[in-house]
Amino acid sequence: MACSSNWWRAPVYFTVSVLLAFLAISTALRSLPRNESLPTKSAIAPLLLDASTALRKSGFNIIATLLQITPEIFISSPHSTIFAIPDSSIANASHTSWLLKHLFQYHASPLQLPMKELLKKHKGSCLPTLFHGKNVALTKVNVKERIVEINRVLVSHPDIFLDGPLTIHGVLGPFTSMDPKYVNQGWDHIQAPICDSNLSLVSEVVDAKNVVEWTHVIRLLSSKGFVSFAIGLNSVLDGILYDKMMLNSVTVFAPPEFSFVASASALLEKIVRLHIVPRKLTYTELDSLPANATLSTLVPGRVLEVSEGVNNSRELMINEAKIVAPNLFESKNFVIHGISKAFELDELPNTSR
């Protein structure tokens, strides 16, 4: 009876497999450059056929189809490890083809990692993936029981396929939630752990709903002409995330011109941080502050001073820079005010003043 009740799943999965495969082909052919150091698709066709057969025997039909038709999504280096996502996780997804391609790339690594190699690594080790420098992290390693979890997801089918340069494991679910609202809100749609330059875990994945949507902030700044400041913020964002990962609200003071973008990285990061207050303050809230109130910034010991304009005008000034575009953008977690000029480092008072 149990078998007959699931008879419909096979055609559904087959249809989804075909649709996803062709969606992936259309995006992959447009956006993935050909790596001349890799063998051609025809040269590795027998390997791909064997790998796809092994995947299907283990129940990973959709990944099997994609691997045969568009292997460039998963293979972009001489060695590759694929972490196959269950059919049910993909069939229930409602993502565009490019989002799915990113999801699959996040489940592939340019390293050869059979189970015996994964078990040699320690908890907190990070592994590179094929998606834009995003990493995954080993969150559990039990050598005795031969258990490995990546991003808190169990490697449920280790060593499905081991042949030459290709290793494939099955996993219990996707390494990231891929919630569509992350994309709609401008949040990072691949929620990855933060790792340092030595590929050691710094911070596990946090819920994007509770932190500042930095990708959205940068995109909004660029769209309204604050391009140089957006570039500066983007270039130092890793440093801000490193020690301010759980920051849940900010006020950004954005200057129209930001000449510091060409400065040395340490100076650039300090000056960008001077333009960010670690709490959300709308223009009305700023206006209600007492005279000469100070605001803490992301630079320890440095504050901004709020004052009225010259001749007692009602214009608000922040360190002698006029707020010319109040509440330019506002969300639950941030507000951006346009200011007349960038803050200078020597203009900023210390909290000890």
Side-chain angles (χ1 to χ4, degrees), residues 176-233:
T176 178
S177 71
M178 283 293 290
D179 192 328
K181 63 189 171 189
Y182 288 173
V183 181
N184 297 337
Q185 295 293 331
W187 295 323
D188 214 349
H189 55 281
I190 295 291
Q191 298 297 299
I194 295 178
C195 305
D196 63 20
S197 57
N198 296 316
L199 287 179
S200 294
L201 181 64
V202 173
S203 174
E204 288 192 48
V205 177
V206 296
D207 192 341
K209 298 188 295 299
N210 298 323
V211 297
V212 177
E213 313 98 297
W214 289 109
T215 304
H216 197 193
V217 170
I218 292 169
R219 185 180 300 132
L220 291 172
L221 286 168
S222 298
S223 70
K224 288 297 182 180
F226 299 90
V227 177
S228 57
F229 185 71
I231 292 171
L233 174 57

Side-chain angles (χ1 to χ4, degrees), residues 97-106 131-132 189-190:
S97 57
W98 66 270
L99 281 175
L100 287 168
K101 185 184 75 172
H102 291 173
L103 178 66
F104 299 139
Q105 289 177 320
Y106 187 58
F131 179 65
H132 300 318
H189 55 281
I190 295 291

Side-chain angles (χ1 to χ4, degrees), residues 340-352:
S340 59
K341 64 175 184 175
F343 302 138
E344 296 287 345
L345 193 59
D346 57 1
E347 289 178 354
L348 296 168
N350 290 306
T351 51
S352 59

Side-chain angles (χ1 to χ4, degrees), residues 166-179:
L166 183 59
T167 299
I168 302 177
H169 306 291
V171 293
L172 204 57
F175 293 153
T176 178
S177 71
M178 283 293 290
D179 192 328

